[in-house]
Amino acid sequence: MSKIAVLDYGTSNLRSVAKALEFVAGSQHKILITDQPREILAADRIVFPGQGAVGQCMQSLNESGLDEVIKECINNKPFLGICLGLQSLMQESDEDGGVRGLGIVPGKVIRFPDNVKDEHGDVCKIPHMGWNRVNQQKSHPLWKDIEDGVRFYFVHSYYVQVENDEDCAAKTNYAAEFTSAVTKDNIFATQFHPEKSQHAGLTLLKNFLSWDGGDN
């Protein structure tokens, strides 16, 4: 039985992520919510969820030492980041007056522009909240059985801007075109919430549980 560690650093949506993983895991995987470095390092796969402000997230990671645990895990096992779990992988974020991220993926996090109108002439509300299309930019095992352009659920005011196009796994349009999924080596991270995205989201989580960290 493989073990999947869901990182607990004080965020509020851990239970919904764990429940979604448990739903698709069956008896082959054990889902563990933990903040203990030993348990995280011993797990076969890591899930880093989160919602809220990146400043508080990074402060919690740095004070607990989980920042270094994450960096060590990323070197040798499949890693799934969700929402803040994606944004914190970047080098820096404009949120909270400017925050340094983990620096694992080259790029930064910026805020949606204000007063941008959509194709109907309506102002795009910030935060971006609700269902939106995710346009796949490259093939990846986590996209298995998920149609290109399917809708996933988003809740965010800031978005990722990656430096290298090859790190972009998907893009979405809302007030601006932004990176909605990132892939780099054994990392896959999403701005959207798979645990809130019904069938497509559960399919992605199920794909993660069988992913060995490779590109194929």
Side-chain angles (χ1 to χ4, degrees):
M1 177 182 293
S2 70
K3 294 182 180 179
I4 291 82
V6 179
L7 270 63
D8 180 3
Y9 62 93
T11 189
S12 59
N13 70 327
L14 292 176
R15 184 56 56 186
S16 60
V17 173
K19 282 187 173 295
L21 286 165
E22 289 168 355
F23 183 81
V24 298
S27 59
Q28 299 180 355
H29 310 277
K30 180 179 180 181
I31 313 301
L32 179 67
I33 298 175
T34 180
D35 62 355
Q36 298 301 306
R38 181 177 297 179
E39 292 180 332
I40 296 168
L41 292 169
D44 299 289
R45 291 175 175 81
I46 306 298
V47 179
F48 178 14
Q51 59 187 30
V54 73
Q56 184 178 6
C57 170
M58 289 306 306
Q59 181 180 353
S60 178
L61 292 177
N62 294 335
E63 290 178 351
S64 65
L66 289 179
D67 56 336
E68 295 302 322
V69 174
I70 290 171
K71 291 175 183 178
E72 184 171 349
C73 288
I74 278 177
N75 290 328
N76 55 31
K77 60 190 70 183
F79 183 97
L80 176 63
I82 299 173
C83 197
L84 280 185
L86 163 64
Q87 294 186 6
S88 63
L89 298 177
M90 300 298 118
Q91 294 165 309
E92 59 180 327
S93 173
D94 288 344
E95 191 174 6
D96 294 328
V99 176
R100 291 184 62 84
L102 294 169
I104 294 167
V105 178
K108 66 183 300 184
V109 184
I110 60 179
R111 192 181 189 278
F112 280 114
D114 293 317
N115 301 318
V116 173
K117 294 184 179 181
D118 62 19
E119 66 272 18
H120 305 295
D122 298 321
V123 174
C124 296
K125 296 180 180 179
I126 309 300
H128 172 213
M129 182 180 299
W131 298 86
N132 207 340
R133 295 188 185 279
V134 171
N135 303 308
Q136 299 169 21
Q137 300 298 299
K138 60 194 300 185
S139 61
H140 192 278
L142 266 68
W143 294 137
K144 180 182 177 183
D145 299 325
I146 299 174
E147 293 184 10
D148 186 17
V150 72
R151 293 178 183 272
F152 286 84
Y153 191 82
F154 291 82
V155 183
H156 62 124
S157 299
Y158 290 77
Y159 65 91
V160 161
Q161 192 175 61
V162 293
E163 286 187 9
N164 304 319
D165 289 341
E166 62 265 29
D167 294 339
C168 178
K171 292 184 178 181
T172 296
N173 283 288
Y174 187 84
E177 184 178 61
F178 65 92
T179 298
S180 51
V182 162
T183 178
K184 182 178 175 64
D185 301 325
N186 53 311
I187 300 168
F188 195 92
T190 67
Q191 183 60 68
F192 55 83
H193 288 267
E195 77 281 5
K196 299 179 180 179
S197 298
Q198 300 179 1
H199 178 72
L202 292 175
T203 300
L204 189 146
L205 293 177
K206 185 176 181 179
N207 290 340
F208 174 70
L209 295 181
S210 61
W211 182 42
D212 64 3
D215 291 334
N216 300 303

